[in-house]
Amino acid sequence: MRYVAATPDMVNEIYNVLHTSIKTVYPKYYPKEVVDFFCRHHSKEHILDGIASGNMGVLIDGNVVAGTGCFDRGHITGVYVLPAHQNRGCGSCIMDCLEREIAKKHGIAALEASLPAACLYEHRGYKTVGHGIYELENDVKLVYEIMEKKLKG
């Protein structure tokens, strides 16, 4: 496995990782409105913005884009791994790379954790510092954990 900077020609593969992960995992934890919200949020335009920032990477396993991660300053904005590649250390590999980059300029990494990811982050040393609620259509509320971790310089 290798983690490399994402490039614009990878937009379709990254889109596939995001949407396959969301549509497979999120329905186990969230109602349809939340799944739809995340799919709309992770449009190809949004992905291209992440790539243009220089802060989005992809995890290549063999010749497959198996996962992706992105950050903005000290904030991890997303980590997604294809379901077929989960539970094989891919998410941890992406997190290691993101934390290493963030630690170059920031002492703390912050993120908003979805319900399915909160345990992964806790095992990595993240602590919940708050809770967020985002109101969606049909009176549905997206609830998430606001988490932080002190990084070593």
Side-chain angles (χ1 to χ4, degrees), residues 6 21 25 67 99 114 122 143 153:
S21 301
V25 176
E99 289 173 0
S114 63
E122 285 176 358
V143 179

Side-chain angles (χ1 to χ4, degrees), residues 11 17 26-27 31 33-34 37 41 45 58 61 71-72 75 77 93 97-98 124 128:
V11 68
V17 168
Y26 282 28
E33 290 85 355
V34 173
F37 166 79
H41 176 70
E45 292 78 17
V58 294
D61 189 6
F71 71 97
D72 181 18
H75 183 217
T77 58
C93 180
C97 294
L98 294 175
R124 293 190 60 83
T128 298

Side-chain angles (χ1 to χ4, degrees), residues 3-4 6 13-15 17-18 21 47 51 56-59 65-70 78-82 90-91 94 98:
Y3 190 76
V4 300
E13 291 165 294
I14 295 169
Y15 182 91
V17 168
L18 293 166
S21 301
I47 295 166
I51 293 169
M56 179 177 270
V58 294
L59 185 70
V65 173
T68 185
C70 193
V79 175
Y80 290 88
V81 175
L82 283 173
C90 294
I94 293 170
L98 294 175

Side-chain angles (χ1 to χ4, degrees), residues 90-111:
C90 294
S92 292
C93 180
I94 293 170
M95 287 296 296
D96 289 344
C97 294
L98 294 175
E99 289 173 0
R100 208 169 18 253
E101 285 302 309
I102 291 169
K104 291 177 182 177
K105 296 182 181 176
H106 304 279
I108 294 175
L111 54 82

